[in-house]
Amino acid sequence: REVFGWLEAEGQDPVARVLLALNTVAIVVIAHRMRSETVAGIALFLGLHTGMLSDITLFTLMSTALLALGALFFLVKNRWVIVPLSSLVAVYSTHVVWAMRTEAIAPGEPPGERLALSLAFLTLYYVLFSVALLAFPRELSRRAGLAFALLNWTGLLSLGAVEVERWDRPHLFTFFVAVALAQGVGGAVARLRHAPDALVQAYFATAVLTLALGVPTEYADAALVRTWTVVGLAAGLAGRTLGASALQAVAVGLLWMALGATWLPASGRALLDAGLFVSFVLVERTAVVSAARLPAPVEGRGREALQSLCALGAALAAVWLLGEVLSAQLTTLAWGVAALGLYLAAG
């Protein structure tokens, strides 16, 4: 890596790039012929580690991307998991080190160019590992597929959000929306590729969760509650349509977040509580209804937990709604009726 950097500094970019490509190909060929995951892991780790010690330039991006491609070759060709998964962790960990060094990313350049280069790294890593995962999703174990998908999403979202927050705060919500759309596209592709159901659900659930996490960066008070309520209701209905229990669980969690946030606005709480009451009821009812065009509803403890959480959320929303429109004495009576209703439902 130091030799390549020296060639780049001397203006020999084409030579450095060719040598870098040949070096990566040599690592892949030797490890593949030896059928040694250990040799591949050591070589790729050393290549990625040296990138931490230098300034981040376009050449660094290319070298890291090529090493990641080498790791993905082993995933696609040999179905090795440890080396590609370790490389995924390594490239994002390397980016953490770079991000902590303020002047490491495009030193001397304007903040906009630094952010663009940093996001180019993260986007490239995300696309590379997503494509490799979704190319043959059924050939990986359920645990390995989920690990790749969730770690890839976590790396892009957390590091990207930190970078955008530091260099371009007004566009932070746009970043969250972009990541949510990318996860949604990943879920659609996984579904078309007949990926395991757990992987498809993970993509869709993280898409909704990403959008929900981005909402507080753009909205506050009543607007925050309304947006979380709408997203939660839409996710719950979509989860029932797709037969995605994970998406339904995220939806209920969002509705509870919205319910807790109803105390933030100084006024207009009655309408917010009414919307949440209706949303909890709709999500709960659609979760248990059977229809010819819908997948079979979830059975067992998952269904019972979802119904219980929705019933409790609807009861609280109803009581708080009554508290906004009735006198204090009638509000106390409403709490008693709600408690009795929950007791009878539990029995």
Side-chain angles (χ1 to χ4, degrees):
R1 175 64 178 83
E2 295 301 324
V3 174
F4 299 148
W6 176 79
L7 289 172
E8 180 190 23
E10 294 296 321
Q12 302 295 323
D13 285 5
V15 176
R17 292 169 185 171
V18 170
L19 289 178
L20 174 64
L22 291 176
N23 178 68
T24 305
V25 170
I27 292 174
V28 171
V29 170
I30 293 172
H32 180 63
R33 288 178 64 87
M34 294 178 65
R35 296 288 176 180
S36 174
E37 200 168 359
T38 302
V39 171
I42 293 174
L44 292 174
F45 169 78
L46 292 175
L48 291 167
H49 179 70
T50 55
M52 296 183 184
L53 308 178
S54 60
D55 290 333
I56 304 175
T57 63
L58 181 60
F59 184 81
T60 316
L61 169 62
M62 294 178 59
S63 65
T64 307
L66 283 173
L67 291 170
L69 278 172
L72 296 178
F73 169 84
F74 298 122
L75 175 66
V76 174
K77 183 68 175 178
N78 298 342
R79 313 315 297 167
W80 291 347
V81 173
I82 297 177
V83 167
L85 191 59
S86 301
S87 297
L88 186 153
V89 175
V91 295
Y92 284 117
S93 299
T94 301
H95 199 94
V96 171
V97 176
W98 289 335
M100 291 173 61
R101 294 160 53 193
T102 306
E103 295 298 325
I105 299 179
E109 298 297 331
E113 294 190 15
R114 292 185 180 185
L115 177 61
L117 184 58
S118 179
L119 292 181
F121 272 85
L122 296 173
T123 302
L124 184 59
Y125 300 152
Y126 177 82
V127 171
L128 287 176
F129 285 104
S130 295
V131 170
L133 172 62
L134 297 175
F136 304 99
R138 300 195 67 84
E139 295 187 20
L140 290 177
S141 68
R142 177 177 176 272
R143 182 177 300 178
L146 286 176
F148 269 103
L150 295 178
L151 287 174
N152 201 23
W153 166 70
T154 301
L156 174 65
L157 183 66
S158 58
L159 295 177
V162 169
E163 292 289 82
V164 177
E165 169 73 24
R166 178 164 59 167
W167 301 111
D168 194 5
R169 178 64 175 75
H171 290 93
L172 185 56
F173 181 64
T174 303
F175 171 77
F176 276 98
V177 172
V179 176
L181 289 174
Q183 287 294 106
V185 170
V189 173
R191 191 177 178 89
L192 291 174
R193 297 287 299 172
H194 304 291
D197 186 59
L199 183 60
V200 176
Q201 292 197 40
Y203 268 107
F204 285 135
T206 51
V208 174
L209 186 57
T210 301
L211 182 59
L213 291 174
V215 168
T217 66
E218 185 74 10
Y219 301 102
D221 297 331
L224 173 64
V225 177
R226 285 195 298 268
T227 306
W228 270 344
T229 302
V230 170
V231 174
L233 176 59
L237 298 179
R240 179 65 187 93
T241 303
L242 298 172
S245 57
L247 194 53
Q248 291 175 290
V250 170
V252 175
L254 283 181
L255 292 178
W256 271 94
M257 289 171 60
L259 184 64
T262 54
W263 293 99
L264 296 177
S267 60
R269 294 177 182 172
L271 185 59
L272 299 176
D273 290 331
L276 281 164
F277 174 78
V278 172
S279 298
F280 274 118
V281 171
L282 286 176
V283 171
E284 190 275 334
R285 286 293 84 199
T286 55
V288 299
V289 69
S290 297
R293 295 183 178 182
L294 292 177
V298 178
E299 300 291 345
R301 293 183 178 179
R303 172 173 169 173
E304 294 174 0
L306 186 144
Q307 286 186 282
S308 299
L309 289 172
C310 285
L312 180 58
L316 289 175
V319 170
W320 291 348
L321 171 60
L322 293 175
E324 292 294 325
V325 299
L326 299 179
S327 62
Q329 292 78 9
L330 292 178
T331 300
T332 304
L333 176 61
W335 276 105
V337 173
L340 178 60
L342 290 174
Y343 173 78
L344 294 176

